[in-house]
Amino acid sequence: MLVLSSALAAVVGCPKSVDTPESVVNRDPRVGGRLFAATSPFNQVIPTNPQLDPRSADYVKLMNRSKKEKGFVLSVKEWTVPAYFAKPATMRHDVLILGQPPGAHYDRAFVHDVVRIMRGVPIPDNAQPDPMDDAHLTVIDPANGCEYDLYGAKRTAKGWTALWANATSTPESGIYPYGLSSRATGFSPLAGVIWPAELRNGRIDHALVFAYPYTRSGGPVYPATASDGKTNLAAALPQGARVQLDPTLDLDTLRLSPYERTIAETLQRYGMYLGDTGGALALYAVNPQSFKLNPYAGTLPDDPLVFLDRIPVERFRVLRTGSQTAQTPLAVVPSPCAQIEVLG
């Protein structure tokens, strides 16, 4: 499975934002902005009366079963993505990309089988990967608009290594055009994650991303560019599918907590894209370890996984997915952010 800076002290307790979606594009997400281009699929509001997938009811029935099995959760301190921010003086590192871990066997051979190196990655001294097996780590360099994504990241005595690494530009779509993100679907690991400032402000101006156990085999659907789906159930959801909480649902009737209310409003307005295979139906928040102080204090329970029990999964609906891409043409796309070289 490819699942996924210092806190600004003055931000904690900041007043509720009154920004419009247009004014938050490409601003610092630590203070209420959002990443990626205004044209990114993640930054598009769902139109009124969108086309629903003919299989929506069956998809949602299986999603609700998943909730009953393992819950609907928000990953906060584990199985998510820490996001660090580089400064001009941040030391740059060459990250050794090791490919498949010992004993691992991917469905087919591709670039993960080749040892590579990603040159010149600015990694702050305090950076640490997510503590779980996927060991995600992402660094944003605001000076050049670059995002550096590591999966299976590890700091060794000889330097940084990763099972996979790639780079993209934050003014672009947040989607790697030929897969090979550190997330299974080609989505940037920061696309669709929830930032602390968004929960404090009570507003999220982008679609969310979620993981799910029952991801369909056979390739992704737009806007995903890759897939690790392996389930053959008829109601398994293809990766890249967009799910919306019924916009006619009166949230006032649900007795939601403030963070659940913010998330539910976002699911009605922007929805969520299926971005990865996971052990439970789960959304992602930026791992608080990448901040000096707990940025979720007063907004979220202090738990690794926060349950979203009051959001009714049975009121989800799946927008028309389109056809699956049968074969994903995985390829490393040259980026001005970093050079990736084959070793040997």
Side-chain angles (χ1 to χ4, degrees):
M1 176 176 64
L2 296 180
V3 179
L4 176 179
S5 85
S6 300
L8 302 180
V11 174
V12 178
C14 65
K16 186 178 180 72
S17 171
V18 294
D19 286 326
T20 63
E22 291 73 18
S23 67
V24 296
V25 175
N26 287 332
R27 280 183 41 197
D28 191 332
R30 294 169 294 178
V31 292
R34 70 180 180 186
L35 296 171
F36 310 119
T39 54
S40 168
F42 283 91
N43 290 336
Q44 304 303 306
V45 173
I46 295 173
T48 304
N49 298 320
Q51 285 190 323
L52 302 185
D53 196 281
R55 298 157 292 184
S56 177
D58 291 334
Y59 288 147
V60 172
K61 185 177 179 180
L62 187 57
M63 294 179 73
N64 199 42
R65 177 180 127 185
S66 177
K67 177 185 178 181
K68 292 177 181 178
E69 291 170 345
K70 295 190 176 180
F72 180 31
V73 302
L74 176 64
S75 296
V76 182
K77 295 184 179 181
E78 58 185 34
W79 298 113
T80 185
V81 186
Y84 295 88
F85 285 75
K87 298 178 180 179
T90 299
M91 182 177 293
R92 292 184 175 268
H93 301 262
D94 291 343
V95 177
L96 183 64
I97 303 172
L98 300 173
Q100 291 196 39
H105 297 283
Y106 290 98
D107 290 343
R108 55 191 174 92
F110 56 101
V111 296
H112 293 83
D113 299 322
V114 180
V115 177
R116 287 172 159 81
I117 193 164
M118 185 160 71
R119 302 286 187 187
V121 182
I123 304 180
D125 291 341
N126 65 326
Q128 297 181 17
D130 183 89
M132 307 311 285
D133 289 346
D134 286 348
H136 278 284
L137 173 66
T138 287
V139 177
I140 290 178
D141 187 348
N144 61 11
C146 289
E147 174 186 322
Y148 303 89
D149 300 321
L150 280 62
Y151 166 77
K154 185 177 181 180
R155 189 190 340 232
T156 73
K158 295 183 179 180
W160 281 93
T161 67
L163 299 181
W164 182 246
N166 212 337
T168 189
S169 174
T170 55
E172 296 181 1
S173 68
I175 302 171
Y176 287 82
Y178 296 107
L180 300 182
S181 166
S182 60
R183 200 179 287 288
T185 45
F187 296 160
S188 155
L190 292 183
V193 303
I194 296 171
W195 290 81
E198 295 173 328
L199 294 180
R200 289 195 301 271
N201 294 345
R203 182 182 177 99
I204 302 170
D205 274 310
H206 57 78
L208 305 182
V209 71
F210 72 105
Y212 181 50
Y214 302 112
T215 54
R216 187 193 295 174
S217 61
V221 297
Y222 177 85
T225 55
S227 172
D228 69 349
K230 296 179 176 64
T231 303
N232 293 318
L233 293 174
L237 196 61
Q239 289 185 323
R242 194 178 196 180
V243 177
Q244 181 185 30
L245 180 62
D246 184 351
T248 68
L249 176 63
D250 184 357
L251 300 182
D252 290 336
T253 65
L254 301 180
R255 301 177 63 185
L256 300 173
S257 65
Y259 61 85
E260 286 177 314
R261 177 71 183 229
T262 300
I263 291 170
E265 289 175 349
T266 307
L267 293 176
Q268 287 185 318
R269 190 169 184 221
Y270 286 93
M272 61 182 186
Y273 287 102
L274 178 53
D276 224 323
T277 302
L281 182 64
L283 300 171
Y284 300 93
V286 173
N287 192 315
Q289 74 181 41
S290 47
F291 293 77
K292 286 183 179 178
L293 302 174
N294 179 10
Y296 298 110
T299 58
L300 287 178
D302 191 21
D303 297 312
L305 301 175
V306 174
F307 284 84
L308 305 172
D309 293 334
R310 293 188 179 92
I311 297 178
V313 171
E314 67 273 13
R315 294 297 297 272
F316 284 171
R317 59 188 197 174
V318 178
L319 277 57
R320 183 179 289 275
T321 64
S323 301
Q324 289 179 269
T325 302
Q327 181 119 11
T328 306
L330 300 171
V332 176
V333 177
S335 169
C337 293
Q339 183 177 358
I340 299 178
E341 303 172 3
V342 176
L343 294 184

